Amino acid sequence: MPHPPIASRQPLSIQQLGRVRTDDYAWMRAANWQEALQHPARLPAPIRAHLEAENAYTQACMASAEPLCARLTEEMKGRMQDDDASPPVPDGPFAYFARYAPGAQHPQFVRQTRVGGEEQVLLDAQAQSEGKAHFSIGDAQHSPDHRMFAYALDEIGSEAYVIQGRDLLTGESWADPPANSSGNFVFSPDSRFIYWVWRNAQSRPLAVYRRPVGAGADQDVLIYQEQDEGFFVGVELTQSRAFVLITTGNQESSEVWLIPASAPEAPPVCFTPREAGLRYDVTHWAGQWLIRTNADGAVDFKIASARLDATQRAHWRDWQVHAPGCFIIELSAFRDYLVRLERVDALPRLVVRNAADGAEHTIAMDEAAYDLSLTEGDAFDSNIARVIYQSPTTPRHWYDYDLASGTRTLVKAQQVPSGHDASAYEALRWTAEAADGASIPITLLRRRDTPLDGGVPVLLYGYGSYGMATPAGFSTPRLSLVDRGWIFAIAHVRGGSERGWGWFLDGRGPKKPNSFSDFVAVAEALCARGCTRPGALVAYGGSAGGLLVGAALNLRPELWAGVVAAVPFVDALNTMSDATLPLTPPEWPEWGNPLEDPDAYDLIAGYSPYDNITAKAYPAVLATGGISDPRVTYWEPAKWVARLRDQTQADAPILLKMNMDGGHSGASGRYAALKEIA
C-alpha cells in the first residue's frame, strides 16, 4: 500500500459551558471558508495541498480497482436509457418534458404543441454545460401564460443559484437575472412577476423578493423578511393557482403567508402566527382551506378546515381526525377531488376523496416493499392524477389515474436497455427488535438464487434524520452489487418517518442515540437470521446518514467490513457550536444547542463520530466531500479521516475523496454520477 498523508496535529483547546475539548485538526477549517465556498480556488494553499494529497492517496489505493470501476460504470450505463425522456406533462396548449440526447450528461427541456406536436427546445442544458467543471439545474418552470421559461442554475456547487430566464417569443434572455438565490422561485399566476427567495451571507434562505418578469435588480421589491435565522423561507403556488404561499419554518414550527392571485402586488398576510411546536401547511380546495397540522397533539397529523376569510387557528375545525399510526404526509388538490398521501406500517398509500359526496377510495399495492407517489404539475381542473409506482424489483411506472373511475393508464415504464428480469430478484420486508422493544423495518433486495447461508455480504444503508423516510424504490446501480451475490438492505431507523412522525420524534434531540442503536440492531438481526455475519457488512450513509454510520462505526467497529460515508456530518459537536455555519441555527431543534444547553452539549459529545474516535481496530473507510458544500463543510470528512487514521490499530485503508470543484451533491451529470457510485 502507498503511504497515507499524515495531517499535522495542531491542538486547539475549546472551552464551552464549563467543558473543555481538544481539536487537533481545527486548522483544516479555512478562515476564508465562506469565500472558498463560492471560489474553491481561493482555499488556502496548505489546506488545498493536504486535500490534494488525500485524493492522490485514495487514487493510488484504488488503482487496482480501476478496471472494475470502469466495468461497473459501463454496466450501470447499460441499464440507463441513453435517450431517456420524462413523460410529457400537459398544461394548456402544450405538453412539457425533459429528454436526454444520446451520450448527454444533462437534459434538454422541451415543449410540444398538443395539437400538431411541434417541438420547441426551451433549454439545452448539455450545450450550456460544456467546459464547466460543475453544472446543475435546480427548479425549472414556464410562466402560466407560456411565454417565459426560467430555471435556477448553479455552476459552482455551493447552491447559490442564479435564476436565468428567456422570452420564448423573442428568444431574448433576461439581462439582469436574480442572483444569490436558494433556487426557489415561482411566477405570479398572471405571469407578470416572479417571486424568488434570497440567501444571506451564511447561505440561509431568509427573504422573498418580487420582480417584474424580465426586469433588473433595481425593480426588486422585498415582500417578506424572516427575522429568525433558524427559520428557512420558501415560496410556492397553490395547485389552484389562486394564491402565492410564502412558507417559513424549522423542524418544529412553521408559518404561512398568503398573496391572492388577483392582487399579486398586495402585501402578504399571515395565515396564522407561528407557535412553538406547531407545524402546519395549507391547501386551497373546494372553496376552503385545508390545514395539515400536528395541532392538539396530532402526532401523525390531522386535517383541519377553515373559511377563506377566517384562517386564524381559533377558526380551525377538524376535517380529518388524527389516527395514530396513519401518518398524513401531504395533500394534492384537484378541482373535484383531493388526494392525500399517507404512510401506514412503513408503506405508502394514496387516498382519493370526492368533493361532491365525500366518498373515498384507496390506491395501494401488494408488494412487500414499494414506493408510491404523485408527480408535481398535475392540472387542477383535470380528473387525471399521474401516479408513480416502483419497488426494489420493479422499475418506475408512470400511470395516469382517473380519479373518477379508478382506472389507470400506463404512460411510461422505465426501460433497462441491457435487460431486467424482475422475477430474478426478491424484495423482502423484515423487522429487527430495538433495545427498547421498538420494531425497526428493514427492506432487503437480493437475487432469488442468493443463499441466506450466513456468508452473504450486505451493503446496509441508513439515513434516519429530519423525518425523511427512505423509500423502497428502484435503483439500477444497486443491481450491480446484487448480481454479484450481495444483498442491499435499508435500515429504516428512528429519526426518519417510516412509522409516522412519532418515529421521527423518537430519533431526534435527546432521543437521537436511538437512531444509532437501531442501525446496530438491524445489523445484528441480519446476522442472527442467517443472512450475513459480522465482518461481512458494509455500512453506507450520506450527509446526516454519515453521522449514523460514523456513530455505528464507533459503537461496533467489529461488525463492519467497511464504511462508506458520503459528505458525512461527522463533526457534530463543533458544527452545532458554530452559529456562523449555514445550517447550524436552523438545526438546533434537531440536535440541540450545545452553546447554551449543557445537556445538549453532553448528549452530542457522547455520539459525535469525530469526538468519539479512540484507539481501536477500525475497518476500511471511504469518506467523500466537496469544497463548495454549504451543508456539510469539507473539513468535516477531512478531520474525521485524519483522526481515524491516527487512532486506528488496524491496517485497513482509510480514504478521503474530495471533490475540488463540487458541493453536497457530488459530480454533476448523470454519467459522472455513475463513476462516483462505481
Side-chain angles (χ1 to χ4, degrees):
M1 296 289 289
H3 294 292
I6 304 301
S8 64
R9 297 174 62 176
Q10 302 175 24
L12 174 68
S13 180
I14 303 169
Q15 298 187 27
Q16 190 171 327
L17 295 181
R19 292 141 175 84
V20 179
R21 66 184 185 273
T22 300
D23 189 347
D24 290 332
Y25 304 103
W27 61 268
M28 294 187 188
R29 178 191 185 277
N32 69 334
W33 65 267
Q34 288 175 301
E35 181 183 24
L37 273 181
Q38 305 301 325
H39 307 282
R42 298 178 187 174
L43 195 68
I47 298 174
R48 174 171 287 277
H50 174 72
L51 298 178
E52 289 174 342
E54 289 281 13
N55 281 345
Y57 174 63
T58 296
Q59 185 175 7
C61 288
M62 295 290 289
S64 63
E66 286 183 4
L68 175 57
C69 287
R71 190 159 66 249
L72 286 169
T73 301
E74 291 305 310
E75 190 176 295
M76 290 187 285
K77 285 175 67 175
R79 296 193 190 99
M80 182 182 290
Q81 188 173 343
D82 201 29
D83 58 350
D84 200 10
S86 64
V89 176
D91 184 15
F94 299 98
Y96 291 82
F97 61 98
R99 71 179 175 206
Y100 287 90
Q105 294 267 21
H106 303 279
Q108 292 180 329
F109 293 84
V110 185
R111 73 179 179 188
Q112 63 181 183
T113 57
R114 296 172 70 181
V115 177
E118 297 177 4
E119 285 192 358
Q120 181 180 11
V121 175
L122 311 177
L123 169 66
D124 188 337
Q126 177 62 27
Q128 193 165 330
S129 71
E130 295 297 335
K132 296 179 173 65
H134 182 90
F135 183 91
S136 62
I137 300 291
D139 195 9
Q141 55 183 284
H142 60 277
S143 60
D145 66 0
H146 305 280
R147 175 159 180 172
M148 295 286 173
F149 181 76
Y151 57 96
L153 175 62
D154 174 15
E155 295 183 337
I156 299 172
S158 64
E159 302 177 38
Y161 289 91
V162 176
I163 301 172
Q164 306 277 9
R166 179 179 170 223
D167 188 318
L168 299 176
L169 186 62
T170 67
E172 294 181 0
S173 296
W174 296 351
D176 183 19
N180 201 28
S181 168
S182 69
N184 179 204
F185 70 95
V186 296
F187 286 96
S188 63
D190 64 3
S191 301
R192 294 166 51 207
F193 302 96
I194 64 164
Y195 304 90
W196 64 279
V197 177
W198 169 86
R199 308 184 332 160
N200 71 357
Q202 283 74 41
S203 304
R204 299 171 190 151
L206 291 177
V208 178
Y209 285 89
R210 183 186 67 241
R211 179 186 296 198
V213 167
D218 60 334
Q219 295 192 49
D220 272 330
V221 176
L222 177 65
I223 60 171
Y224 182 82
Q225 175 72 58
E226 177 56 58
Q227 300 302 317
D228 186 339
E229 291 214 359
F231 274 46
F232 277 6
V233 173
V235 64
E236 60 189 71
L237 283 180
T238 59
Q239 288 170 276
S240 65
R241 295 186 179 178
F243 293 89
V244 176
L245 306 180
I246 296 173
T247 61
T248 185
N250 60 17
Q251 285 92 351
E252 288 189 329
S253 309
S254 58
E255 186 176 73
V256 177
W257 294 70
L258 308 175
I259 302 173
S262 58
E265 297 178 85
V269 175
C270 185
F271 191 92
T272 196
R274 67 190 68 178
E275 300 175 26
L278 175 68
R279 292 175 61 96
Y280 73 92
D281 51 61
V282 303
T283 300
H284 176 235
W285 183 68
Q288 63 187 331
W289 287 108
L290 297 181
I291 306 108
R292 190 188 72 100
T293 180
N294 67 346
D296 309 311
V299 174
D300 285 323
F301 288 73
K302 65 178 181 178
I303 304 174
S305 65
R307 300 198 320 267
L308 297 183
D309 61 350
T311 62
Q312 303 295 294
R313 185 178 174 186
H315 300 293
W316 295 3
R317 299 292 179 265
D318 280 1
W319 191 82
Q320 178 82 27
V321 298
H322 177 232
C326 177
F327 176 37
I328 300 174
I329 302 170
E330 65 180 357
L331 306 179
S332 186
F334 299 79
R335 185 187 59 201
D336 299 323
Y337 294 90
L338 182 79
V339 183
R340 65 180 186 269
L341 175 62
E342 301 176 341
R343 190 178 297 117
V344 178
D345 196 23
L347 289 174
R349 69 185 186 190
L350 296 168
V351 181
V352 180
R353 184 184 184 102
N354 190 324
D357 57 12
E360 293 189 347
H361 68 273
T362 300
I363 308 170
M365 298 296 172
D366 295 329
E367 287 196 71
Y370 62 86
D371 186 46
L372 197 62
S373 60
L374 291 177
T375 64
E376 296 183 0
D378 291 326
F380 179 75
D381 290 333
S382 172
N383 287 337
I384 302 298
R386 184 155 293 169
V387 177
I388 304 175
Y389 169 70
Q390 58 183 313
S391 79
T393 62
T394 307
R396 292 173 185 82
H397 284 65
W398 288 259
Y399 294 97
D400 276 352
Y401 184 86
D402 190 312
L403 299 169
S405 67
T407 59
R408 65 184 185 186
T409 302
L410 180 65
V411 176
K412 178 183 176 176
Q414 179 184 355
Q415 300 300 307
V416 183
S418 61
H420 175 67
D421 178 8
S423 66
Y425 303 89
E426 182 180 28
L428 302 170
R429 173 57 60 84
W430 290 355
T431 58
E433 184 175 336
D436 60 1
S439 182
I440 311 159
I442 315 169
T443 300
L444 300 98
L445 173 66
R446 67 165 186 151
R447 285 190 64 91
R448 291 186 182 274
D449 56 6
T450 298
L452 298 178
D453 59 3
V456 179
V458 171
L459 185 68
L460 180 61
Y461 175 82
Y463 188 75
S465 289
Y466 310 117
M468 294 176 63
T470 302
F474 185 73
S475 166
T476 55
R478 292 174 190 166
L479 301 178
S480 287
L481 270 184
V482 173
D483 284 347
R484 287 168 169 79
W486 285 65
I487 290 174
F488 183 90
I490 302 170
H492 300 282
V493 302
R494 282 175 284 189
S497 59
E498 284 85 346
R499 288 198 180 278
W501 202 245
W503 196 247
F504 161 57
L505 298 177
D506 280 344
R508 75 189 293 257
K511 297 182 179 181
K512 189 61 200 173
N514 284 338
S515 301
F516 316 135
S517 59
D518 283 0
F519 194 75
V520 170
V522 168
E524 292 175 331
L526 294 176
C527 296
R529 294 189 63 161
C531 176
T532 187
R533 57 178 170 76
L537 294 120
V538 174
Y540 175 33
S543 195
L547 169 69
L548 178 71
V549 300
L553 173 66
N554 287 329
L555 288 172
R556 294 289 302 280
E558 78 284 358
L559 273 177
W560 318 107
V563 170
V564 179
V567 290
F569 173 45
V570 283
D571 192 14
L573 183 57
N574 283 318
T575 293
M576 285 298 102
S577 300
D578 187 346
T580 69
L581 294 176
L583 296 184
T584 294
E587 296 204 352
W588 283 330
E590 178 80 7
W591 314 105
N593 183 350
L595 289 174
E596 298 179 356
D597 183 351
D599 291 338
Y601 183 106
D602 294 340
L603 178 78
I604 299 171
Y607 66 68
S608 174
Y610 176 66
D611 295 280
N612 286 277
I613 296 168
T614 57
K616 62 182 71 170
Y618 284 100
V621 172
L622 171 64
T624 68
I627 296 296
S628 301
D629 189 348
R631 297 174 182 266
V632 177
T633 48
Y634 72 85
W635 59 84
E636 291 208 33
K639 291 168 58 178
W640 184 57
V641 162
R643 180 170 279 181
L644 279 171
R645 197 179 287 142
D646 179 68
Q647 291 292 309
T648 187
Q649 296 178 339
D651 58 3
I654 296 174
L655 309 179
L656 173 66
K657 176 67 175 72
M658 184 65 65
N659 187 333
M660 306 300 284
D661 297 298
H664 199 64
S665 300
S668 58
R670 56 176 180 160
Y671 296 131
L674 291 182
K675 289 183 179 180
E676 288 194 346
I677 294 170

